[in-house]
Amino acid sequence: MDKYLNLTQTIEKEVSERAGEAIEERKSIKELLQGKALKALEEARALLDKSVEELLKKDYMELKRNLWLASSNTEYAAFLLAKTLGEKPRITLKNPVKGEGDLDGLLAYSIQNLEEAYFNLERGGNLEAYKLVKTTRLTLTKLLELLEKKK
């Protein structure tokens, strides 16, 4: 009987240790994804800063290029954030732009949203960061549409 009790305890201990390792591994994967999302947001923000400069110079080709790259980084960040949340969240986003909108205002709005998303993500607010990133992505799409109409 003692033999079975010892075997049972040994198995329970091993299962417990493996479960702990799996939990730690999951935490480290989540932290890795959050870190990559933060980096993508930093890159998107830098591209939006360059976009402001290009808008002031009226260099619409370079502006469009920077917006596409920023949009790509925000989409990547959204993908990573969705993974940290376990499944793609079902959220409803309002169209951030009423009517046509102006390039300056939309660009400022995008920068503000990225800053808030970054701030939330640093503090573990992945869902709120995800919503802000998706809203930014919609806004960047609208900016690109407006640029196409300017041609």
Side-chain angles (χ1 to χ4, degrees), residues 110-123:
S110 296
I111 291 170
Q112 178 186 354
N113 278 340
L114 279 184
E115 287 175 351
E116 286 182 43
Y118 191 90
F119 177 80
N120 278 294
L121 185 53
E122 281 188 314
R123 282 145 188 79

Side-chain angles (χ1 to χ4, degrees), residues 64 99-100 142-151:
K64 191 167 147 181
E100 283 302 305
K142 184 63 175 180
L143 269 165
L144 289 164
E145 288 172 2
L146 288 172
L147 281 172
E148 284 298 316
K149 287 181 183 178
K150 280 195 173 249
K151 280 188 171 180

Side-chain angles (χ1 to χ4, degrees), residues 47-101:
L47 288 161
L48 291 181
D49 287 342
K50 287 180 186 177
S51 295
V52 170
E53 294 170 16
E54 301 308 329
L55 182 59
L56 292 173
K57 291 183 208 173
K58 298 192 185 301
D59 183 351
Y60 295 112
M61 289 301 291
E62 194 62 23
L63 172 62
K64 191 167 147 181
R65 180 186 164 286
N66 288 330
L67 290 175
W68 271 111
L69 291 170
S71 181
S72 172
N73 278 299
T74 57
E75 189 63 33
Y76 180 56
F79 167 77
L80 294 168
L81 289 171
K83 293 295 180 190
T84 67
L85 296 169
E87 61 182 60
K88 188 173 180 178
R90 294 182 183 172
I91 58 172
T92 304
L93 298 173
K94 297 180 208 168
N95 185 349
V97 184
K98 304 278 193 273
E100 283 302 305

Side-chain angles (χ1 to χ4, degrees), residues 127-144:
L127 180 59
E128 189 58 34
Y130 177 81
K131 290 177 187 178
L132 288 163
V133 168
K134 290 301 277 187
T135 300
T136 302
R137 178 68 177 90
L138 285 173
T139 307
L140 292 175
T141 300
K142 184 63 175 180
L143 269 165
L144 289 164

